[in-house]
Amino acid sequence: MVMPLFDTASTMDASSAVPLGVSVPRADSGGTRHHAGGRANVACLAPAVPSLDIAYCPPGGEWRVQTLPNITRGVHHGIVEDLPYGSRYGFRPSSDNQPLPPAVPTGNNGVNGSARQPLLLDPYGRGVDQRDGVLTSVRTATDFDWGTDELLRLPWRNTIVYEAHVRGQSMLHPDVPKELRGTYAGLAHPAVVEHLTSLGITSVQLLPVHFHIDEPHLQDLGLNNYWGYNTAAFFAPHPGYATQAAQEAGAQAVQDEFKAMVKALHAAGLEVILDVVYNHTAEGGVEGPVLNFKGLGKDAYYRVDEHGKFVDTTGCGNALNFADPRVVQLVTDSLRYWVDEFHIDGFRFDLAVTLCRNAANEFDPKHPFLTGVAADPVLSEVKLIAEPWDIGYGGWQTGQFPPGWVDWNDHFRDSVRTFWLADRAAIDAGGHGGTMAKLADALSGSAGLFQASGRSRLASVNFVTAHDGFTMNDLVSYDRKHNEDNGEENRDGHGDNRSYNHGVEGPTENGAILAKRAQSRRNLMASLMVSLGVPMIAAGDELARTQQGNNNAYCQDNHITWLDWTLSPEAHEMLRSTKRYIRLRKEFLAAQPHDFPVRDEQSYLYWFDHDGQPMSADRWNDPHCRVMQLLLGDDNGELAGLVVVNGSASDVEVTLPDAGRRSPSLFELRLTTSPRHKERQGIQVPSGETDLAEANSISIYRT
């Protein structure tokens, strides 16, 4: 039974406008979940609301309503006497007399279409409760037994990122107990952790784990937003990724399970990076639901034009207004909270350009958000990864973010795919491919792309695949996207994939085609691991995972997106190869000085043709020249590496180079992506002598 109690006192109390959200009053002590009394300081920025109420329900109690008596620069604040940890709460304008929860269900997910929540979520709410079809914020405590856990602070040079989905990573894992599959606890299970550590990656980058909801059109189709790029609460972990037991226990248990996951991954030496979506919110455009910001102050929180219409640089109906300092504060407060309270090691920012658009809606590399993060003693010390584009004017900014940031390098992705797949398709069809120049630039870390921003090759996050697009296996198995299951008649998803099916579209039992696909997969993965910069693997590529040709599987929460752990012969072979490439990368870097490859005066990259002669301009520009050699290392390194690339359709006799005083007297073949790896591994070839570079392969030597 709902019995609202109204406090209409007009006198000011001892509350504070800072910090925003629900906190322990300054006059009180404590801060743990055992804080006595439940007194709380409540503060909410709601510049569009003349008077704001908080409606709240203590654990086991009844709903009450209290008007926040004070307003300071748009922040409504007051002291609430009985708001202990575990309380559900939300805000509403004082004139809004909608029934309180649980009286108004609004759909299977808390919102549907343009339906309005009976209460507005707290923008700073630490937990979200989904009960009776209604969303409410939840007050949670911050205490947790971290023991000696702390941020790992791995240097960028040694970082290998693994992009994963909490649910998809363990959903089909046979060694994970059924009740833990698809959860934070499942990701932290020893069987999953052992796979990650044995693979050799250093950092797990999780697709969005902030609380998110499904878009109305997906609900109508009976689908859900599997990727989670539809955030509704920037401070709350998504309860749907917690175990059923934690969900039933409430927001505090969900939070604790998430922290236990981070602690377990840290104990295994693995960083945790979050993919965060601050560019837009789940409220969508004008027809979207009203969850929080629209009801509290749309024109402050969102970018709008002179007519009050949403300016959308995200393709999602709205864009947060980073020209407003309060929005910048909201995001930096959220980031700091995840570092301080959840021990998060870094962030990958979805559509990061939107976060750096000034009052004129232009990208500004000196935007207050960027300068604020750089000056912040907490945020400046964690990993910051930009997806350096959005869909607005001037939205492609790869290479333009400031020092302290690294960028997803789409130039690397496109160059590697083109050389090994699109070019090969053209050659197999009787034509010819492109030149070696773009691949060489990609392998060497795209130095020119990042130089203008004052950054080095280590600012490049190199990737061939990501959550968005084909898997690596599908890149070599499909010429076209097959997104029919998404309910949009295959209109969604990118059409420019630079993929090659090697003669048959999709699954085949043709052994010759399967062998060609396997070698192309190895070429793609080896290119990723021998390149300078920071490599990122999409989860499952090491297992030859397929999404059946779907290159936009954002709404597929099923076997299409979950990792298949049955390990077919193709999966076994790809896993062995990936481990081998990662191990070789680590061995090479361990033999170089700590600042390799940043010191250009001592780090070297020498390019040679198949005759062992320095690459000439004519060679670089000749599309028929598909063989090159890269000698790289450091004057003070213990060994040098030689990468021989043969992108032609024929085997080629290659003369290993003589690079003067830096040249080794003997090269040892450590691996080749050709099928002859086992029989050729370990052979030694002196400088100036020839060795066989097999067609469509990479060979890697060391001194």
Side-chain angles (χ1 to χ4, degrees), residues 241-260:
Y241 297 156
T243 58
Q244 188 63 37
Q247 292 184 52
E248 292 173 358
Q252 188 70 59
V254 171
Q255 179 174 292
D256 290 348
E257 185 177 307
F258 186 103
K259 291 179 177 180

Side-chain angles (χ1 to χ4, degrees), residues 73 103 240 244 271 343 415 421 430 466 484 512 611 651 666:
R73 295 184 295 279
Q244 188 63 37
E271 291 184 314
H343 291 200
S415 297
L421 300 178
E484 291 81 5
D611 289 326
D651 296 350
L666 203 63

